[in-house]
Amino acid sequence: MSRDVANRPASAADISEAEAFLAAHPEITAFDLVLIDLNGIARGKIIRRHELLPIFRSGRHLPGSILGLDVTGEDVEETGLVWSDGDADRRAWPVAGSLAPLPWTSPPRGEVRLALYELDGTPMDADPRHALARQVNLLGADGYHPVLAYELEFYLLDRERTADGDFQPLRLPLTDERPEGIQVYGVSELDRLEPFIDAVYRGAEAQGLPVETMISEYAQGQFELTLRHGGALRAADDLAMLKRLIRALAVRHGMMACFMAKPFAGRAGSGMHVHASLGDAAGENLFADHGEALSPLLRHAVAGLLETMEESMLVFAPHFNSWRRFSAQSYAPTTPTWGTNNRSVAVRIPAGSPAGRHLEQRAAGIDSNPYLVGATVLAGMRKGILAKTDPGPETTAYAEATGDDLPPDWRGAIETAGSSAFLKEALGKRLHHVFLALKRAEYRRFANEVTALERTFYGEIV
């Protein structure tokens, strides 16, 4: 047995997956190797068809610095993954069950997602997928099996910007008109978007993505797609793939898919709400109601999320723009509250079947990394469950922020996250360090920028 095979991680996909996929798809000539970095951005390379089996057999070397890149793709030395590490290679291995066709490509290509490991086969602890896997394993050791589902809110925009460089809503394909007004839950807007929606559903089916409902959301050109619930790792994988699918199909339909948290100052922001429950070994929902009352386990999980929300906000709102989403009466929570059937709270217990009871964490924006969000949510739930914490009385109406419940802004969130023992445990010590280094470097980029608004306000006045 070769050294490479001897160091093969137990979780790596079996070569039989690749052999079966190649046999079923003789038309595919190339594959995208995709690794999701700490900013949730797909990184990787395109390989030829004949290179796929060797990757499943022996992995593929990639530099560890691929996880030390900022949103522009530049190295951040402070992560410790660039020159201080010798820009050393690790080995990427395929994620089991991730091979899929890319339905938007011509000639046809496929995709396989990767996870990064050390050369000895141990997980590379700056890979966000491993952080989520670790929290899944910790809950599993306690006898709990997490089930997650993500909601994806996004804007479809015109590829042409205004004369001032601003975004503008899309032109609906069937009428070439821009949507008028908010039209939340509007069916006509969805009907006029039919060519794109049909492409999304067909593409999702081809890729095995459990895409369900599409909704016209609370702004011109804003939409929501829901994903059916599943295992925590698969749910995060599905969200990452769906964003990639939507972005690629939007381009091919003359549009731009925008996953900023707040692309317009006066319109709704875009969230990535996380629905979560815990099952037992037989798949029974442990959050199911106890008679007329909520499960004690569910209440403990809610309490843990509320207790850790302040320390978690940098994960939920990782960028400068993320913090524009949080404002009063905006469906983005501004204080750690919980409630039943109440969309103004941070942790909501949706109405529905008592047997299917679950919680919804509403703080994360769509610009956040689903693996980091999932890891942080599960760690918060586990903290409350282990301590048997009670969340206190629920909120029945909109709760105004008191001013000290959450970090006031991005810089405050960075400082809070940096000193958080909880977040260091939730993400792992090394990933916590790399994530904070990336956010501090990104913050410096914005802090050093002189904006047009500053020049307008101060140029000839002060």
Side-chain angles (χ1 to χ4, degrees):
M1 181 180 291
S2 73
R3 180 179 177 84
D4 284 354
V5 174
N7 292 335
R8 178 189 185 87
S11 58
D14 191 82
I15 193 171
S16 61
E17 286 190 31
E19 292 170 337
F21 188 89
L22 290 173
H25 295 278
E27 76 284 1
I28 291 182
T29 60
F31 290 85
D32 291 12
L33 303 183
V34 177
L35 179 77
I36 304 299
D37 74 6
L38 273 74
N39 286 303
I41 297 172
R43 309 276 184 193
K45 54 182 70 176
I46 297 178
I47 62 167
R48 303 300 297 167
R49 181 184 175 95
H50 69 270
E51 298 179 89
L52 185 67
L53 290 180
I55 291 173
F56 273 73
R57 187 177 296 115
S58 303
R60 181 73 172 247
H61 284 133
L62 284 177
S65 59
I66 197 170
L67 295 175
L69 303 176
D70 67 13
V71 292
T72 71
E74 290 191 22
D75 290 327
V76 176
E77 172 63 24
E78 293 87 344
T79 61
L81 296 177
V82 193
W83 299 118
S84 60
D85 190 45
D87 199 17
D89 274 342
R90 270 72 177 187
R91 184 171 284 120
W93 289 89
V95 172
S98 69
L99 264 173
L102 295 180
W104 62 82
T105 56
S106 181
R109 298 200 315 271
E111 174 186 276
V112 61
R113 293 191 305 286
L114 305 174
L116 207 58
Y117 294 79
E118 301 294 349
L119 299 184
D120 65 2
T122 58
M124 200 284 192
D125 48 14
D127 186 329
R129 196 175 192 275
H130 293 318
L132 177 54
R134 190 168 69 88
Q135 292 301 326
V136 170
N137 291 336
L138 287 171
L139 282 165
D142 296 332
Y144 305 124
H145 301 275
V147 175
L148 299 182
Y150 293 86
E151 294 176 5
L152 180 145
E153 295 175 348
F154 61 100
Y155 277 83
L156 290 174
L157 306 175
D158 197 321
R159 296 202 64 82
E160 295 288 332
R161 299 202 185 185
T162 68
D164 295 328
D166 293 334
F167 293 140
Q168 53 184 343
L170 78 160
R171 293 184 180 276
L172 294 166
L174 294 185
T175 62
D176 200 39
E177 297 173 341
R178 301 191 198 282
E180 293 290 337
I182 292 176
Q183 300 301 346
V184 64
Y185 291 103
V187 177
S188 294
E189 283 66 30
L190 295 178
D191 182 59
R192 293 166 188 173
L193 195 61
E194 187 273 334
F196 174 77
I197 295 175
D198 179 62
V200 168
Y201 281 134
R202 286 188 290 107
E205 183 177 2
Q207 293 197 296
L209 299 178
V211 173
E212 296 193 324
T213 307
M214 188 159 185
I215 301 167
S216 177
E217 265 289 350
Y218 211 79
Q220 293 168 281
Q222 189 188 36
F223 301 92
E224 176 187 281
L225 273 170
T226 61
L227 286 157
R228 189 166 59 250
H229 62 271
L233 279 168
R234 179 57 192 265
D237 288 339
D238 288 344
L239 191 282
M241 285 186 71
L242 182 57
K243 286 179 71 172
R244 191 162 137 78
L245 174 70
I246 290 171
R247 183 174 280 122
L249 290 176
V251 169
R252 285 156 177 82
H253 283 77
M255 299 179 288
M256 168 189 167
C258 181
F259 299 105
M260 287 176 64
K262 188 78 168 178
F264 298 98
R267 301 178 193 171
S270 294
M272 186 178 74
H273 302 159
V274 186
H275 296 255
S277 62
L278 296 177
D280 62 15
E284 294 296 318
N285 181 17
L286 298 174
F287 281 0
D289 290 0
H290 284 206
E292 298 296 318
L294 295 177
S295 158
L297 192 71
L298 172 58
R299 291 178 62 88
H300 298 330
V302 169
L305 290 177
L306 299 182
E307 181 184 345
T308 59
M309 186 173 171
E310 178 182 9
E311 298 169 80
S312 304
M313 284 304 297
L314 186 63
V315 170
F316 300 151
H319 307 294
F320 175 76
N321 177 260
S322 307
W323 290 82
R324 299 192 184 281
R325 177 171 159 259
F326 299 100
S327 58
Q329 301 180 8
S330 65
Y331 294 103
T334 56
T335 188
T337 53
W338 78 282
T340 303
N341 197 20
N342 181 350
R343 284 185 170 85
S344 74
V345 296
V347 182
R348 172 180 174 242
I349 311 301
S353 164
R357 190 72 67 212
H358 64 278
L359 63 82
E360 177 190 10
Q361 181 17 298
R362 296 175 57 81
I366 194 56
D367 57 341
S368 54
N369 182 314
Y371 301 103
L372 299 185
V373 170
T376 305
V377 166
L378 294 185
M381 290 167 53
R382 183 169 181 263
K383 181 179 176 70
I385 288 169
L386 292 178
K388 293 183 167 52
T389 315
D390 188 85
E394 65 177 291
T395 297
T396 57
Y398 177 76
E400 293 285 352
T402 63
D404 56 2
D405 293 323
L406 298 177
D409 52 26
W410 190 29
R411 180 177 178 178
I414 292 172
E415 293 173 350
T416 300
S419 61
S420 170
F422 163 76
L423 197 62
K424 187 177 293 186
E425 190 285 326
L427 302 182
K429 182 178 179 180
R430 189 176 199 183
L431 193 149
H432 178 265
H433 168 79
V434 173
F435 184 58
L436 265 293
L438 291 173
K439 295 300 102 182
R440 287 168 177 148
E442 189 177 341
Y443 176 83
R444 289 195 298 270
R445 292 278 290 269
F446 277 90
N448 291 335
E449 180 71 20
V450 179
T451 66
L453 185 60
E454 289 174 84
R455 288 188 284 269
T456 300
F457 268 43
Y458 309 129
E460 294 188 70
I461 297 174
V462 297

